Amino acid sequence: MSDDLKNSNVEELLNRLPGMLYRCKYDSDWTMQFVSEGCKELTGYETEELLYNRSMSYASIIHEDDLNLTYIEVTKALESNTPFSYEYRIYTKDGNLKWVWEQGIGLYDDSGEVVDIEGYITDITYQKKQSDELQTELTKKDKELLVNSTLLDEYKKAVDEGAIVTKTDINGIITYVNDEFCRMSGFAREDVIGKSHSVVRHPQNPNSVFSNLWKTILDKKIWKGVIKNRTKDKKTYYVKSTIVPILDYDGEIKEFFAIRHDVTDLILQEKKIKFQTTDDMTQLPNRQKLIEDLQENKELKLAIINIEKFKEINDYYGFDTGDRLLVELSTMLSKMLVNYTTKLYKLPADEFAVLTDDSIDKESFRGLMLSILDTINSFEFEIGSYSFNLRALSGASMQRNYYINAEMATNHAKLNNEEFVFFDENIEIKEQLENNVNWTKKLKAAIEDDRIVMFAQPIVCNTSMCAKKYECLIRMIDTDGTVISPFKFLTIAKKSRLYPELTKIVIEKSIDYFKDKEDFFSINLTLEDILNQDIVDLLKDQIEKHTGLGQRLIIEIVEDEGIENYNEVSTFIDSVKSLGCKIAIDDFGTGYSNFDYLMKLNVDFIKIDGSIIKNIDHDNGAKIVTELIVDFAKRLNIETIAEFVYSQEIHAIVKEMGIDYSQGFYLGKPEHLVKK
């Protein structure tokens, strides 16, 4: 073959490479002396624009945060006379940012000084940005490296440093392997030269992979794909392979040249990600996967399906039965959605989600969801010897912040006993959202400006009529001086995660006011507060800081569903009682009232809920309930406090019933605690 033809083939191969081959001076500008035509696709600049810095230097398009690092990496490698490879960012001609991978070597004069650099630069932007989409990433991670045997010899050092390289004859018999192949596989050259790649091929590879591979390369085309291999000691690894047929002058296949990259970590990562985004019970994608899918820049519609009172099934029949029921339901939903362009997700607890794009219009989506709900609500599920009739409802949104909006619509459906609610159609939900946002801002500002203050209402002894106990009550002072009730902002505080901050303010300001007084005072805590270790630690520190304060402090535990978590509540009660505190159960008599747990918990007071007390003068049922509570408390030597005593008549009745203390507007309104 003539030198002209060889040069022509080399130039053609260079220019077919998807990246950019270069030679540049070893100076601060990386003055390019040669760049391949891949420059245009990589940088957007014509080769003439970069050569000899005619329009700009290559260094000037490197991201400013990466430029120094590139010089450091290159200099370190050149000083040790070793090849270099690293990743950095460049600005293309149209202003876009790309990640590139570069590998190269230095060229030295007779005195050992570096005069030039030769190397290869390729685009790895997609690999950087899309690690969670493995297969797509893999197809773009390796740009097509079309290197013939001449090019391999010329750039052997650079390529060998960053890739697994092999050559075979036309029959697939290995004729060359580089050091990286030996390091990765554990085989020495003499173990594999003269043999086929079956020596490293894992037996679990489908035969179809290699049928397709051979068909492709024998057709003189490039084959790309992932192959599962195993080392000499039978450990598994994965390689992303590019196999190029090398043609002779007559266009006939002379040999096959393969470049492979180790992608084992990516494969394992993909498996790990799949595990993290899949519900283990139903094998449906989970909430994490839904959140990821909602990031797509598409017009979407999301509906959340809630199974009402599913907790009761778990409580009465056990979690195993409940889980089997959810699996049965997921199978039903999957079958119903099989002919639609939708995705089904299993959310935490008793909820599912259905996601679709604009291929389904709003009314069709509404019809689909109503059909699903009707099917669930009319179906009788058989789990073992049990039969279940479920009631499902749903909330949906087709506006951004899909998940939050759909959750709000679902909660609205629950509160209003509706089957299906579209967030986008319901002004009330939007107004509620705006109201929540506004109140969150007001609450944050009040905390920052120290406008969260404490009031106290007297608790009067029904025999002596003396007020020696006070309940500390939180209030917000608005910017215009208006005193705002906690009913306006406590729910918002819980939703916006500001509630723990409010509890800490209550503890600190209440104790600061009463620390030098002789009065008993009470602070309200919820189960959420009791389970918050920071709050418990603060409370104990404040009690221990002031001698004798614990003997005057009453902790009012707000009665809600969580109070039946006996172990947590009991542990807390024992710990604060050891510091001298007394315990009251607040709002007893409605909601989750349970005499059983009162017998287990070591409490000192029962505060009878105001919704009962306010009616005992005209409601015989309220009177009977109150009498039962008082009788029960006396048997356990627990003192009672009547809340919401708003009139003389009510006060007379509670005294006659033998209730120990009274609290209400008739006996004293809450007053602002101001230190003198």
Side-chain angles (χ1 to χ4, degrees):
M1 185 184 297
S2 69
D3 290 342
D4 289 342
L5 285 173
K6 288 182 179 178
N7 291 336
S8 174
N9 283 341
V10 170
E11 183 176 356
E12 181 181 347
L13 284 168
L14 291 177
N15 291 327
R16 282 166 52 197
L17 283 171
M20 182 178 86
L21 286 163
Y22 71 87
R23 173 181 284 184
C24 72
K25 293 182 178 179
Y26 181 42
D27 59 20
S28 61
D29 290 324
W30 282 13
T31 301
M32 292 294 176
Q33 299 169 304
F34 167 79
V35 291
S36 67
E37 291 183 5
C39 167
K40 173 70 174 178
E41 181 179 354
L42 183 69
T43 70
Y45 294 100
E46 301 291 343
T47 57
E48 292 299 318
E49 294 182 87
L50 290 181
L51 285 175
Y52 298 101
N53 306 331
R54 288 175 180 145
S55 294
M56 62 185 60
S57 67
Y58 183 76
S60 67
I61 70 172
I62 298 177
H63 192 284
E64 55 274 12
D65 292 341
D66 299 341
L67 186 57
N68 287 338
L69 181 61
T70 64
Y71 283 129
I72 292 171
E73 292 292 329
V74 172
T75 301
K76 183 166 48 174
L78 296 179
E79 287 178 350
S80 60
N81 196 13
T82 60
F84 60 83
S85 66
Y86 57 96
E87 300 170 356
Y88 58 93
R89 293 165 289 178
I90 64 170
Y91 292 105
T92 63
K93 188 172 184 178
D94 57 7
N96 290 327
L97 200 62
K98 281 187 176 180
W99 275 96
V100 297
W101 174 69
E102 179 176 347
Q103 59 181 359
I105 57 175
L107 303 179
Y108 303 81
D109 61 17
D110 293 339
S111 63
E113 294 295 322
V114 181
V115 291
D116 294 320
I117 303 172
E118 287 185 347
Y120 174 71
I121 305 171
T122 188
D123 181 4
I124 60 168
T125 304
Y126 192 84
Q127 292 90 325
K128 278 286 190 180
K129 292 182 178 179
Q130 301 294 332
S131 62
D132 57 335
E133 297 291 342
L134 178 64
Q135 189 57 46
T136 302
E137 177 189 22
L138 293 177
T139 63
K140 291 191 176 183
K141 180 176 183 289
D142 299 319
K143 294 297 182 177
E144 297 175 0
L145 300 177
L146 308 178
V147 183
N148 64 7
S149 58
T150 303
L151 189 60
L152 175 63
D153 292 336
E154 186 175 359
Y155 290 99
K156 179 177 179 300
K157 289 183 180 179
V159 175
D160 279 354
E161 283 295 316
I164 302 166
V165 180
T166 64
K167 287 198 300 180
T168 70
D169 64 20
I170 192 170
N171 297 312
I173 301 302
I174 298 172
T175 59
Y176 168 83
V177 296
N178 70 343
D179 291 341
E180 185 66 12
F181 175 93
C182 297
R183 186 195 68 78
M184 191 70 198
S185 69
F187 287 99
R189 284 184 173 81
E190 54 269 24
D191 294 332
V192 295
I193 299 295
K195 299 179 182 178
S196 72
H197 279 92
S198 60
V199 294
V200 295
R201 193 168 297 153
H202 199 289
Q204 291 179 357
N205 286 290
N207 291 331
S208 58
V209 171
F210 301 106
S211 297
N212 175 263
L213 184 157
W214 277 103
K215 182 179 184 304
T216 301
I217 61 178
L218 289 176
D219 285 343
K220 304 176 184 179
K221 298 176 183 178
I222 298 170
W223 183 88
K224 295 183 295 182
V226 177
I227 296 176
K228 185 177 183 179
N229 286 342
R230 61 182 180 182
T231 64
K232 188 174 183 178
D233 57 0
K234 306 303 181 184
K235 293 181 180 178
T236 298
Y237 66 100
Y238 296 84
V239 289
K240 175 68 168 69
S241 302
T242 301
I243 302 177
V244 183
I246 303 300
L247 308 182
D248 62 17
Y249 178 73
D250 297 320
E252 297 300 322
I253 299 174
K254 180 181 178 182
E255 60 185 354
F256 297 108
F257 181 73
I259 295 180
R260 301 176 179 85
H261 291 283
D262 176 21
V263 292
T264 306
D265 288 345
L266 293 175
I267 294 290
L268 297 178
Q269 180 187 15
E270 188 264 348
K271 291 181 178 180
K272 182 178 179 181
I273 290 173
K274 183 177 180 182
F275 174 77
Q276 291 174 340
T277 57
T278 302
D279 176 65
D280 187 54
M281 179 175 62
T282 63
Q283 294 303 302
L284 291 174
N286 61 12
R287 181 181 180 275
Q288 177 62 35
K289 179 59 176 170
L290 172 60
I291 298 301
E292 292 176 8
D293 291 347
L294 289 173
Q295 305 306 312
E296 295 182 13
N297 188 23
K298 293 181 179 179
E299 297 300 322
L300 303 171
K301 300 178 186 69
L302 174 68
I304 292 176
I305 300 172
N306 175 269
I307 309 302
E308 287 198 296
K309 299 182 179 179
F310 195 83
K311 182 179 181 297
E312 295 179 3
I313 294 176
N314 284 330
D315 289 343
Y316 288 108
Y317 298 95
F319 285 100
D320 181 60
T321 298
D323 289 349
R324 290 171 62 191
L325 183 54
L326 289 173
V327 171
E328 188 78 15
L329 179 56
S330 71
T331 302
M332 170 190 281
L333 292 172
S334 298
K335 289 179 180 178
M336 293 183 67
L337 295 170
V338 69
N339 295 321
Y340 295 90
T341 55
T342 58
K343 293 182 181 179
L344 177 65
Y345 304 82
K346 175 64 180 68
L347 304 184
D350 52 9
E351 291 189 331
F352 293 83
V354 179
L355 181 67
T356 188
D357 54 25
D358 55 8
S359 61
I360 300 179
D361 61 39
K362 177 181 177 181
E363 292 309 314
S364 298
F365 189 59
R366 184 201 307 275
L368 172 62
M369 295 311 302
L370 288 173
S371 175
I372 288 173
L373 295 174
D374 288 345
T375 301
I376 295 174
N377 294 337
S378 61
F379 190 79
E380 186 170 305
F381 293 85
E382 301 287 341
I383 305 296
S385 59
Y386 304 118
S387 297
F388 299 96
N389 294 104
L390 304 179
R391 183 177 186 274
L393 52 82
S394 178
S397 176
M398 54 188 293
Q399 292 185 8
R400 296 288 174 178
N401 296 322
Y402 301 103
Y403 192 85
I404 294 174
N405 293 344
E407 272 194 325
M408 292 182 64
T410 304
N411 290 333
H412 187 82
K414 289 181 186 177
L415 292 173
N416 295 277
N417 198 29
E418 297 182 47
E419 186 175 34
F420 181 76
V421 172
F422 234 126
F423 174 86
D424 314 68
E425 299 172 343
N426 200 300
I427 297 176
E428 183 180 342
I429 299 178
K430 295 180 181 180
E431 290 176 346
Q432 180 184 350
L433 178 60
E434 292 175 359
N435 181 65
N436 290 349
V437 171
N438 291 334
W439 271 102
T440 299
K441 291 179 180 178
K442 291 180 70 169
L443 186 55
K444 285 182 178 179
I447 293 173
E448 292 172 0
D449 299 341
D450 195 26
R451 288 186 282 106
I452 301 298
V453 299
M454 298 310 302
F455 278 52
Q457 186 175 29
I459 300 173
V460 176
C461 175
N462 284 333
T463 54
S464 69
M465 293 304 295
C466 294
K468 290 295 184 180
K469 295 182 177 65
Y470 295 87
E471 179 181 2
C472 296
L473 303 167
I474 192 170
R475 298 289 188 268
M476 180 199 301
I477 306 299
D478 209 345
T479 52
D480 61 1
T482 303
V483 178
I484 300 175
S485 165
F487 296 108
K488 292 280 190 179
F489 59 83
L490 282 187
T491 301
I492 300 298
K494 291 179 180 180
K495 290 180 179 179
S496 59
R497 299 183 181 179
L498 294 172
Y499 191 81
E501 187 68 24
L502 294 183
T503 301
K504 291 176 183 179
I505 292 173
V506 168
I507 292 171
E508 290 175 339
K509 290 195 173 185
S510 299
I511 290 178
D512 185 58
Y513 181 83
F514 282 100
K515 64 184 180 182
D516 300 321
K517 303 184 182 302
E518 297 180 354
D519 301 303
F520 286 78
F521 66 103
S522 65
I523 294 173
N524 288 280
L525 295 182
T526 64
L527 178 67
E528 179 182 343
D529 296 323
I530 291 171
L531 297 179
N532 186 317
Q533 194 58 48
D534 288 342
I535 289 176
V536 174
D537 290 343
L538 173 64
L539 177 65
K540 291 180 178 179
D541 288 344
Q542 289 287 317
I543 294 171
E544 292 171 348
K545 184 178 178 181
H546 304 288
T547 304
L549 185 138
Q551 282 68 33
R552 294 185 290 110
L553 176 58
I554 303 169
I555 305 297
E556 294 191 21
I557 300 177
V558 179
E559 188 195 25
D560 59 17
E561 185 175 7
I563 199 171
E564 295 185 7
N565 292 326
Y566 171 74
N567 290 334
E568 292 87 347
V569 177
S570 181
T571 299
F572 170 78
I573 289 175
D574 290 343
S575 67
V576 293
K577 271 184 164 288
S578 69
L579 298 174
C581 300
K582 294 186 180 297
I583 300 296
I585 299 298
D586 196 16
D587 299 333
F588 189 83
T590 61
Y592 304 98
S593 296
N594 188 321
F595 289 99
D596 180 60
Y597 71 72
L598 272 182
M599 289 189 290
K600 297 177 181 178
L601 299 177
N602 184 16
V603 304
D604 303 284
F605 301 96
I606 293 175
K607 297 190 75 174
I608 305 172
D609 189 79
S611 64
I612 299 175
I613 297 298
K614 70 179 182 179
N615 295 319
I616 60 174
D617 60 340
H618 62 273
D619 185 338
N620 192 50
K623 194 171 183 179
I624 291 172
V625 169
T626 305
E627 289 172 343
L628 286 171
I629 294 173
V630 173
D631 181 63
F632 175 81
K634 287 185 182 298
R635 291 173 183 270
L636 293 179
N637 200 29
I638 298 173
E639 293 187 283
T640 49
I641 303 171
E643 297 183 295
F644 210 82
V645 177
Y646 67 92
S647 69
Q648 182 180 358
E649 290 77 15
I650 296 291
H651 190 220
I653 294 173
V654 300
K655 288 172 66 178
E656 183 182 347
M657 286 182 170
I659 295 176
D660 301 293
Y661 299 91
S662 294
Q663 179 181 353
F665 273 34
Y666 171 68
L667 299 165
K669 296 181 180 179
E671 298 290 340
H672 190 184
L673 297 182
V674 180
K675 292 191 70 174
K676 297 180 181 179

